[in-house]
Amino acid sequence: MGDVLAGFNGAWEFGSDSVLIRYERGIRTPKLLQALGERRVPLAALQGVTLTPGRRGTVVLRAEPRPGADPLMEAAADQLKESSDPYRLVLPAERETLAEYYADELRALLTESGPAERHLVAPPEVPMSFKAYDAKASFDGTSVAFRWFWTGASSAKWKAGDQSFRISDLAGVEWRSPEVFEGHLRLLRREGGVRQPAQPDQDPAAVVFGLGYGPVHESLPFAAAVLAAVRRAGPEVAVVPVARRDPADVAERIRHLGELHRAGLVTDEEFSVKKAELLAEL
């Protein structure tokens, strides 16, 4: 196709075998998209295209990635806000006809569907690092390191000491958005005999987020890069189940969540969603 379709939050350049997505750097563009800069998405990584009405006189063109094709979306696990979706292009409503044309052209080029056997979209570049509430996390492409902060790390983490994990020793990554209650990044270990603590603040293989610590635009690309490296380490990679929480711990956390809700620090919706998540971990 070779054409470019520009929207409010970026521009899509259509090629014969891929779409190059460039994100705007403006103040209205979510920080995650600014951090990504641009991404080349192979057509083999996509399974559909939609065009729907947006807000305030806009239309939204969205490409649907295949499950498992993009390490960023796999790590995000449906936790991204709509505005931070890297596969959305927002356009003025008067360009709907043009957008429909490109949507039809793109659909005609898509031949794959269903889960991908491997990542098809390139992960964020390494080395990279970010500050969590209790540690500085860094990744050089072969190992992940956590260096604890004395102001935030639990006694369990201080006792364990600073941590370094080789990619070959990991089975996956668990990322919980810092924009919801109890955000964290946890490394899932391969060793079947290693029982990881249910609480991230007690797990030396996890870092916890907080206000201003582990923001989405820093921690999610980090998680995606680690996940991509783990997947490349071998096809035998399996997800390690996270240990179930103790019922007393869940009850205590629900009580604390209720206090935050009564104080107005957590909305009704956030309270209901998080309470359901905690109960599901029993």
Side-chain angles (χ1 to χ4, degrees):
M1 296 165 63
D3 296 333
V4 177
L5 181 63
F8 292 121
N9 57 336
W12 291 12
E13 180 178 338
F14 301 93
S16 60
D17 62 355
S18 65
V19 178
L20 178 61
I21 304 177
R22 295 188 177 94
Y23 304 103
E24 288 293 333
R25 299 281 184 179
I27 191 172
R28 294 184 179 180
T29 303
K31 289 184 178 180
L32 173 62
L33 303 186
Q34 294 186 50
L36 294 175
E38 68 175 41
R39 313 183 81 211
R40 184 171 293 280
V41 181
L43 298 184
L46 302 176
Q47 63 180 5
V49 185
T50 61
L51 182 65
T52 57
R55 300 176 181 176
R56 299 177 182 177
T58 64
V59 292
V60 178
L61 180 65
R62 185 181 189 274
E64 180 185 356
R66 295 169 60 194
D70 184 349
L72 187 84
M73 301 304 285
E74 184 177 356
D78 297 322
Q79 297 176 79
L80 286 178
K81 291 182 176 179
E82 187 178 71
S83 60
S84 295
D85 183 347
Y87 288 91
R88 282 177 89 248
L89 181 66
V90 182
L91 305 109
E94 57 264 27
R95 305 192 72 187
E96 181 176 3
T97 301
L98 182 62
E100 184 62 56
Y101 165 78
Y102 282 109
D104 289 340
E105 290 289 303
L106 187 54
R107 287 190 194 101
L109 296 174
L110 303 183
T111 60
E112 305 290 340
S113 63
E117 295 182 357
R118 60 184 178 86
H119 290 149
L120 300 173
V121 182
E125 295 183 356
V126 294
M128 58 194 342
S129 64
F130 73 92
K131 287 185 178 180
Y133 176 73
D134 57 357
K136 177 180 180 180
S138 58
F139 178 46
D140 62 6
T142 60
S143 63
V144 181
F146 294 156
R147 189 183 70 196
W148 308 121
F149 296 147
W150 69 270
T151 53
S154 65
S155 58
K157 291 182 176 180
W158 271 112
K159 184 177 180 180
D162 291 345
Q163 300 289 299
S164 180
F165 304 88
R166 295 179 300 176
I167 287 298
S168 59
D169 294 332
L170 301 179
V173 178
E174 177 186 80
W175 180 80
R176 292 288 182 88
S177 174
E179 296 177 341
V180 297
F181 191 64
E182 290 189 327
H184 65 265
L185 182 145
R186 189 198 303 268
L187 304 177
L188 304 178
R189 307 177 69 173
R190 283 180 181 270
E191 297 93 327
V194 177
R195 184 178 176 83
Q196 296 184 228
Q199 296 177 238
D201 62 347
Q202 300 297 311
D203 187 355
V207 294
V208 298
F209 306 147
L211 186 61
Y213 294 95
V216 171
H217 70 282
E218 294 180 357
S219 61
L220 179 56
F222 185 102
V226 174
L227 179 60
V230 171
R231 292 287 184 263
R232 289 195 301 267
E236 72 283 359
V237 170
V239 175
V240 175
V242 179
R244 292 285 184 178
R245 283 186 171 171
D246 181 86
D249 173 60
V250 172
E252 174 61 23
R253 287 179 176 268
I254 291 177
R255 184 193 63 77
H256 177 61
L257 183 63
E259 292 178 351
L260 295 176
H261 180 236
R262 288 190 292 274
L265 299 176
V266 174
T267 66
D268 293 344
E269 181 180 2
E270 290 171 335
F271 174 76
S272 298
V273 170
K274 186 54 191 177
K275 182 179 178 181
E277 288 179 1
L278 288 169
L279 291 173
E281 292 181 9
L282 288 174

